[in-house]
Amino acid sequence: MRYWVIAPYENGPLYAIVWNFDFQQGWISIGWSAVGDVSKMTRAQLQEKVVAAYPDSAHTLVANMLWNFYHEIEVGDVILARRGLQVLSGVGKVKQKAEFLHGTNDRIDHPHFLKVSWHAAPCNVSLGANIFHQRAVAEITQEKFEAVTKRAALSGSLPLATESDIPAIEETETISEQMLLFGIEKELESFLISNWGSVFSDLEVYVDANGRDGQQYPTEIGPIDILAVERQSGNFVVIELKRNRSSDQALGQVQRYMGWVKTTLCRDNQKKVRGLIVCGEEDPRLTYAMTVTQEIKLQYYKVSFSLSDEPPKRIES
């Protein structure tokens, strides 16, 4: 028996359309509809389809999630459905292997389905912290499953997701730049992965021999935010998001992870390791440190906002 966390959709009004249908009908579904029927594809064919359908995505990461959904999740495995990173929507057992069922939910194009027997509880429980991984499909250990369900038993339930379930800022007329950056940094990792090709054209997300991908890559000294490799050379790149860490914490952390990668993954001494720290605003302490740190680069992300007469393309989970 294996344990999996699946996000039917990212949090927001469309989540209710997907999850409420899935829960009532005994399914769990995911998007990536343009890939088509995955069930008969080889892994190489799946990778090609993902590249063609979603050129700006982290191709290997998306292909890995779809492959796991169809080929690794087995009857009897346990599914935890999540809403965002803090809400446990439901727990159930897989009743049959994944199927491509285009048009099953006539309100949204979610064609990849697993048949699941959902338990009555826990259901729609806030865990009070960012417990879950940002991948749409992720395997967890039995220990993690037990920790999540134990926490759920001690937490309070929420109202069911509705189509008007849009987070609001209460009693606030203006949003400060600091508040905006804080909200963006919470979702930065997910954004980078979803738009990988347009952000990192020279890199690809690392996938090891066991099929584990480089998002939140596990090590004995903690998870690396994103472990990537250069497309041309195959050299490793450790990407750390500064978030609300101090400059010394961010620099020390990326150095530790670089050392771990060099010691553990570069055994043939043919690969090199460099680091990349991504942050939202200038930090003079980091800037000074970069002048004497040759193997680590500092880059800043910028946020822009504009209005258009054309609707944006919907990003699928």
Side-chain angles (χ1 to χ4, degrees):
M1 179 189 301
R2 297 165 73 179
Y3 301 86
W4 303 86
V5 176
I6 297 178
Y9 202 90
E10 290 306 313
N11 202 4
L14 289 177
Y15 185 91
I17 295 174
V18 177
W19 170 244
N20 292 346
F21 176 87
D22 287 359
F23 185 74
Q24 292 164 9
Q25 301 297 323
W27 298 104
I28 192 161
S29 64
I30 57 174
W32 309 108
S33 58
V35 176
D37 188 352
V38 174
S39 61
K40 302 295 191 297
M41 294 182 191
T42 66
R43 196 154 196 154
Q45 289 170 335
L46 174 57
Q47 181 82 11
E48 290 177 3
K49 282 283 189 179
V50 171
V51 171
Y54 303 100
D56 290 335
S57 70
H59 310 137
T60 303
L61 201 61
V62 174
N64 207 40
M65 288 189 293
L66 284 165
W67 183 268
N68 287 341
F69 192 81
Y70 274 86
H71 298 289
E72 295 295 328
I73 300 177
E74 299 284 351
V75 173
D77 284 358
V78 176
I79 303 295
L80 284 75
R82 69 169 177 88
R83 173 158 63 107
L85 303 182
Q86 300 185 6
V87 176
L88 176 62
S89 293
V91 178
K93 275 199 173 185
V94 177
K95 305 303 291 183
Q96 63 186 49
K97 295 277 286 182
E99 298 178 83
F100 181 77
L101 300 172
H102 181 72
T104 298
N105 185 343
D106 59 10
R107 299 190 63 193
I108 191 168
D109 191 11
H110 255 220
H112 308 293
F113 283 87
L114 275 169
K115 193 70 176 175
V116 178
S117 176
W118 295 109
H119 300 170
C123 181
N124 215 43
V125 176
S126 173
L127 302 175
N130 289 352
I131 300 297
F132 296 118
H133 199 283
Q134 290 175 318
R135 281 194 294 266
V137 179
E139 185 176 9
I140 60 171
T141 63
Q142 182 178 349
E143 291 74 20
K144 175 76 171 181
F145 166 78
E146 292 172 352
V148 169
T149 51
K150 181 178 180 180
R151 186 164 186 148
L154 301 173
S155 302
S157 62
L158 297 170
L160 291 175
T162 67
E163 294 177 36
S164 60
D165 183 21
I166 303 175
I169 297 180
E170 299 176 359
E171 300 177 1
T172 302
E173 294 183 357
T174 60
I175 302 175
S176 69
E177 183 177 352
Q178 289 77 16
M179 287 174 64
L180 179 62
L181 283 176
F182 177 75
I184 290 168
E185 288 189 343
K186 287 172 64 180
E187 304 297 333
L188 180 58
E189 182 182 318
S190 180
F191 174 84
L192 291 177
I193 292 295
S194 298
N195 298 273
W196 187 266
S198 59
V199 179
F200 299 112
S201 59
D202 59 333
L203 304 178
E204 59 185 33
V205 179
Y206 174 69
V207 177
D208 66 19
N210 297 316
R212 292 179 302 184
D213 59 67
Q215 186 184 7
Q216 290 295 310
Y217 190 77
T219 78
E220 56 261 39
I221 56 173
I224 300 173
D225 282 347
I226 304 174
L227 181 58
V229 293
E230 295 174 346
R231 294 185 190 275
Q232 295 288 333
S233 66
N235 290 334
F236 288 97
V237 183
V238 173
I239 302 174
E240 285 295 305
L241 313 180
K242 185 175 180 290
R243 297 190 179 96
N244 60 346
R245 303 181 184 120
S246 71
S247 56
D248 291 343
Q249 285 177 322
L251 183 59
Q253 190 150 302
V254 75
Q255 288 174 325
R256 286 193 295 274
Y257 290 143
M258 288 171 64
W260 182 89
V261 171
K262 185 175 182 179
T263 301
T264 307
L265 301 180
C266 299
R267 293 174 179 170
D268 58 4
N269 294 320
Q270 294 178 349
K271 304 295 183 185
K272 296 180 180 179
V273 187
R274 64 181 176 91
L276 173 61
I277 299 174
V278 179
C279 55
E281 55 188 356
E282 185 178 9
D283 185 331
R285 289 166 294 187
L286 266 180
T287 303
Y288 283 126
M290 291 302 102
T291 64
V292 292
T293 306
Q294 301 301 317
E295 296 178 340
I296 302 175
K297 188 176 182 180
L298 181 63
Q299 288 194 313
Y300 302 92
Y301 65 86
K302 295 181 179 179
V303 179
S304 62
F305 178 85
S306 62
L307 297 176
S308 172
D309 292 332
E310 297 296 324
K313 292 182 178 180
R314 180 168 61 85
I315 298 176
E316 299 183 75
S317 60

